[in-house]
Amino acid sequence: MARRKKIYEGKAKIMYEGPEPGTMVQYFKDDATAFNAEKKAVIEGKGVLNNRLSEFFMTGLTQIGVPNHFIKRLNMREQLIRSVEIIPLEVIVRNFAAGSMCKRLGMSEGTPMPRPIVEFCYKDDALGDPLVSEEHIIAFGWASQQDLDDMISLALRVNDFMSGVMLAVGIKLVDFKIEIGRIWENDFHRLIVADEISPDSCRLWDIETGQKLDKDVFRRDLGNLTDAYTEVARRLGVLPTNVTHAPKPTLIN
Ligand code: UDP
């Protein structure tokens, strides 16, 4: 089969040139990485689930007027997206303490935040994506003050939407990361949500049991990652009919 031109290959996704200018095809791989890619594995079916879940969340965001890159899903592992100029920041929103915030501030996991906390990390694998302040962002020209205000507003809207959607299916949205991109319209740009929204980039805990249904299952060897993501997809009603391309039949629920 003729392949599209590859633009970029990341840890969990590959970007291909899209069919029209201003578009790209985003392919979801089964590769999982953690701890700045020190831990790696191929998790069969993860890419298919994340493609579906990101479609589900981005479509919901579009329906409530939060601009994002998603155009349409093409197949089990690929979606058509708008190409953007990615801002080199990870935008993290925290509702409860977990992960690096616990380490940095000595908080116990699960401590509720007084209000959602927005953090920025500079995207640089070699540096381990360090936490940066708004001062750094402006001084080093990664984004303008207006961009910063828009990023915070987008991140909080995504947080409200995602928290509500998850609460409805008995899941607590502990924290998540989004990436934001610029699209140019004549001489002006606006910011839209890009990359992906999936259990790879969120912390999701079952409200009743506290069971982790996100990438911490892989980070901490807590069980089968595909089972955890399948449970999230099942609760949201977005289970694909055939999770993998595995030759053997796969029981999915
Ligand atoms: N996150 C992510 N990619 C990264 C770093 C963090 O998707 O490169 C997500 C992570 O899954 C969690 C949130 O951002 O939902 C906050 O992560 P944290 O800063 O606690 O870092 P970690 O514990 O993952 O090192």
Side-chain angles (χ1 to χ4, degrees), residues 22 26 53-73 79-84 86 154-155 157-158 161-162 178-183 185 190-197:
Q26 179 163 254
L53 285 164
S54 202
E55 171 192 17
F56 176 78
F57 297 129
M58 295 289 185
T59 306
L61 287 172
T62 300
Q63 282 166 352
I64 62 160
V66 178
N68 65 79
H69 72 170
F70 183 80
I71 301 172
K72 66 172 179 182
R73 189 169 55 79
Q79 47 183 246
L80 185 67
I81 56 168
R82 296 189 68 165
S83 50
V84 299
I86 283 282
L154 279 174
R157 292 184 73 194
V158 172
F161 170 77
M162 292 289 294
I178 52 170
E179 294 187 22
I180 292 175
R182 288 191 183 93
I183 49 171
E185 278 154 5
R190 61 191 183 97
L191 301 188
I192 67 174
V193 178
D195 189 49
E196 71 177 282
I197 302 180

Side-chain angles (χ1 to χ4, degrees), residues 11 33-40 124-129 219:
K11 284 174 272 193
T33 61
F35 311 119
N36 207 10
E38 274 168 37
K39 180 171 180 173
K40 288 185 198 162
D124 185 320
D125 283 342
L127 299 174
D129 300 338
R219 291 188 188 99

Side-chain angles (χ1 to χ4, degrees), residues 90 94 98-100 129 175-177 200-203 219:
E90 297 193 330
R94 300 181 186 275
S100 67
D129 300 338
D175 60 27
F176 65 92
K177 182 261 314 189
D200 267 7
S201 50
C202 302
R203 282 197 172 90
R219 291 188 188 99

Side-chain angles (χ1 to χ4, degrees), residues 65-243:
V66 178
N68 65 79
H69 72 170
F70 183 80
I71 301 172
K72 66 172 179 182
R73 189 169 55 79
L74 298 171
N75 54 48
M76 297 280 277
R77 287 183 184 272
E78 292 180 324
Q79 47 183 246
L80 185 67
I81 56 168
R82 296 189 68 165
S83 50
V84 299
E85 192 181 294
I86 283 282
I87 294 177
L89 297 168
E90 297 193 330
V91 184
I92 292 171
V93 182
R94 300 181 186 275
N95 299 306
F96 299 87
S100 67
M101 170 165 257
C102 293
K103 276 196 217 121
R104 210 169 343 123
L105 300 178
M107 288 179 166
S108 53
E109 191 175 66
T111 309
M113 297 290 113
R115 60 184 171 85
I117 306 281
V118 181
E119 288 176 355
F120 298 95
C121 293
Y122 180 54
K123 268 168 66 73
D124 185 320
D125 283 342
L127 299 174
D129 300 338
L131 184 71
V132 290
S133 74
E134 298 190 10
E135 285 282 288
H136 296 119
I137 295 170
I138 306 282
F140 301 138
W142 297 323
S144 66
Q145 184 62 55
Q146 180 63 54
D147 291 338
L148 260 179
D149 295 345
D150 292 349
M151 284 194 286
I152 292 170
S153 151
L154 279 174
L156 291 175
R157 292 184 73 194
V158 172
N159 186 44
D160 283 349
F161 170 77
M162 292 289 294
S163 297
V165 166
M166 289 303 179
L167 184 63
V169 295
I171 295 174
K172 185 149 112 175
L173 178 66
V174 173
D175 60 27
F176 65 92
K177 182 261 314 189
I178 52 170
E179 294 187 22
I180 292 175
R182 288 191 183 93
I183 49 171
W184 290 89
E185 278 154 5
N186 302 318
D187 283 346
F188 298 97
H189 75 253
R190 61 191 183 97
L191 301 188
I192 67 174
V193 178
D195 189 49
E196 71 177 282
I197 302 180
S198 75
D200 267 7
S201 50
C202 302
R203 282 197 172 90
L204 305 169
W205 297 351
D206 181 85
I207 286 175
E208 295 291 319
T209 64
Q211 187 194 353
K212 294 184 196 322
L213 297 169
D214 56 57
K215 210 166 90 176
D216 275 349
V217 172
F218 170 69
R219 291 188 188 99
R220 303 189 190 178
D221 297 319
L222 298 176
N224 183 304
L225 192 72
T226 309
D227 288 352
Y229 289 18
T230 302
E231 175 61 11
V232 175
R234 189 192 64 77
R235 290 195 199 184
L236 293 169
V238 292
L239 256 191
T241 47
N242 175 13
V243 174

